Amino acid sequence: LNLSHGGGTVVMARLADAFIDAGCSVTVLAARPHVLDTAKRDRIVTEFLPRARGAFRAVAYRRFRLSRKLRAIGADAVVSFNYHSPVNLPQLTYHINVIPFLPWPQRKAAVGSLRAIMQARAARDALANSAVNAFESLHIAEMAGQAKGPVLIAYTGIDIPEGATARQSTGEEKLVCLVTSGAAHKRNDIAFRAFRAFRGIEPTARL
């Protein structure tokens, strides 16, 4: 429900692909219209739920309307991002956001006081109640701390064509590509420090 744009929608599309490949049927419930960037989009049912748009309305929808919607579509299990929904179905929460687990000053700076409080509570609720908690990286899992049930580390990588070999820069110059956003909590300063150290080994490297 709570995905709007950016990396989260990419992860959602990849998960939908994986479930379809495993023989599952997939219905995506979204508060905003989405066109999933996947070759399997014609096999994914997407339902637009404008009543769930916005943080407070999404919380209310999950609490008072989601169970009825899941019964209507015949769902067997629920996959959500960063939160747990109070429904009577097995639920996997995929934690793809580091913000809920940041110290308060950094969390507040990233999303504001209200969202910082809501996101942290939602993530903690998932750790305590979801049947499975999956994490996009070991780093996020370590920040989150102990979860009640099973824990999975599920990295999100890139699609590499079958049989492809690693490509390297040609010539003497080394090119390092950093795919990120400028948000402070992304800690791009760490990547820049690492690149400066790399330049000490490869003086012609470019970022």
Side-chain angles (χ1 to χ4, degrees), residues 44-165:
I44 300 171
V45 177
T46 302
E47 293 202 25
F48 175 42
L49 306 174
R51 290 183 176 182
R53 185 167 185 170
F56 287 106
R57 295 171 74 185
V59 170
Y61 190 93
R62 291 197 296 269
R63 182 165 296 278
F64 301 112
R65 294 176 176 269
L66 183 57
S67 290
R68 187 190 314 163
K69 170 59 71 174
L70 294 174
R71 287 195 298 270
I73 64 178
D76 297 302
V78 177
V79 178
S80 59
F81 292 87
N82 307 313
Y83 60 81
H84 176 271
S85 296
V87 296
N88 294 320
L89 287 174
Q91 189 166 168
L92 179 147
T93 297
Y94 192 22
H95 299 271
I96 62 173
N97 194 342
V98 71
I99 293 176
F101 308 116
L102 291 173
W104 169 252
Q106 296 178 38
R107 202 162 73 238
K108 178 182 176 182
V111 295
S113 299
L114 185 57
R115 288 184 64 194
I117 293 171
M118 293 180 66
Q119 288 185 5
R121 288 182 176 176
R124 296 297 174 191
D125 189 38
L127 294 175
N129 295 294
S130 291
V132 178
N133 282 276
F135 298 87
E136 194 176 50
S137 69
L138 179 61
H139 174 64
I140 297 179
E142 290 175 341
M143 292 184 70
Q146 189 170 1
K148 181 180 178 181
V151 168
L152 297 175
I153 308 299
Y155 291 95
T156 303
I158 60 173
D159 290 319
I160 300 177
E162 186 175 352
T165 57

